Amino acid sequence: MNDSIERILFTEEEIKEATAKVASEISRDYKDAEGTTVLLCILKGSLVFCSDLMRKLDFPTELEFMKVSSYGSGTISSGQLNITLDISRKDLSDINIIIVEDIIDTGITLSRIHDMLVKRGAKSVKTVALLNNPARRGTPYEPDYSGLFMPNEFVVGYGLDYNEKFRDLPYIGVLKPEIYKR
Ligand code: PRP
């Protein structure tokens, strides 16, 4: 295990099972959907989850990316949302969008992106988060699909970072407090 990790919260196997569970729920709901279904991967943290999820869905999807920033360099949310990379297509009227997130904390990011895509005229917009941290919720927003509910701890790995590090860990672990408090 990485020296900076206090303990593993979710193993590779648990992540795989949770991904299969949400993939099966999404596949059930979208198998007869009309139009094009696009997975919208919110960079950077969702890259790993999105990559695994798309290969578990049993219907065809297309892929788009958006990069937003609601956090500074530390662990506290600033509450701001800045779009630094936008979706590449303009006409969304025939597009079912599934926003793919690694984690929902306050809910600010998902709820704002959801509302923005609805305003832009998407055919439908749903959201999936691998990790759901309900204790941090500052808005009444809940994703349509949640993989794993987690305790209110600072976690890294499987795409999630602290100051850009630890995204490459194959598991999700609790960071040792001395790493982010020093
Ligand atoms: C994380 C995560 C979500 C957001 C969730 O992204 O990937 O996008 O925070 O927080 P919220 O529910 O409080 O809005 P982050 O800004 O850390 O960027 P990154 O994915 O590039 O690491």
Side-chain angles (χ1 to χ4, degrees), residues 116-128:
M116 186 190 70
L117 293 168
V118 169
K119 279 200 191 105
R120 287 185 188 179
K123 185 178 172 71
S124 72
V125 185
K126 285 198 177 186
T127 57
V128 55

Side-chain angles (χ1 to χ4, degrees), residues 88-158:
S88 66
R89 49 190 105 189
K90 293 273 178 280
D91 182 5
L92 304 179
S93 58
D94 195 38
I95 309 286
N96 301 303
I97 298 178
I98 303 174
I99 307 171
V100 181
E101 270 288 24
D102 49 341
I103 185 167
I104 177 168
D105 275 324
T106 65
I108 290 169
T109 308
L110 261 188
S111 64
R112 288 191 184 167
I113 297 174
H114 173 276
D115 292 354
M116 186 190 70
L117 293 168
V118 169
K119 279 200 191 105
R120 287 185 188 179
K123 185 178 172 71
S124 72
V125 185
K126 285 198 177 186
T127 57
V128 55
L130 173 64
L131 292 176
N132 191 328
N133 182 1
R136 290 281 308 278
R137 200 76 84 256
T139 66
Y141 189 83
E142 280 302 317
D144 296 284
Y145 309 95
S146 294
L148 296 158
F149 284 83
M150 58 172 280
N152 189 19
E153 297 190 85
F154 193 78
V155 294
V156 294
Y158 196 70

Side-chain angles (χ1 to χ4, degrees), residues 8-22:
I8 293 177
L9 189 61
F10 297 116
T11 63
E12 282 186 77
E13 196 53 39
E14 288 169 322
I15 296 167
K16 204 171 161 188
E17 281 171 19
T19 304
K21 182 200 75 172
V22 289

Side-chain angles (χ1 to χ4, degrees), residues 42-47 67-72 74 77-81 100-111 113 133 136-139 159-162 164 167:
I42 308 301
L43 296 171
K44 299 178 187 172
S46 304
L47 174 76
K67 178 150 173 50
V68 302
S69 159
S70 60
Y71 284 64
S77 171
S78 67
Q80 300 296 314
L81 183 72
V100 181
E101 270 288 24
D102 49 341
I103 185 167
I104 177 168
D105 275 324
T106 65
I108 290 169
T109 308
L110 261 188
S111 64
I113 297 174
N133 182 1
R136 290 281 308 278
R137 200 76 84 256
T139 66
L160 290 103
D161 75 312
Y162 173 66
E164 297 300 330
R167 294 192 197 274

Side-chain angles (χ1 to χ4, degrees), residues 1-49:
M1 190 168 74
N2 186 292
D3 284 350
S4 302
I5 301 300
E6 190 171 83
R7 69 177 200 283
I8 293 177
L9 189 61
F10 297 116
T11 63
E12 282 186 77
E13 196 53 39
E14 288 169 322
I15 296 167
K16 204 171 161 188
E17 281 171 19
T19 304
K21 182 200 75 172
V22 289
S24 145
E25 291 169 1
I26 293 170
S27 297
R28 177 199 63 206
D29 293 350
Y30 281 80
K31 68 179 187 318
D32 298 323
E34 290 176 5
T36 301
T37 300
V38 166
L39 296 183
L40 175 57
C41 175
I42 308 301
L43 296 171
K44 299 178 187 172
S46 304
L47 174 76
V48 183
F49 174 50

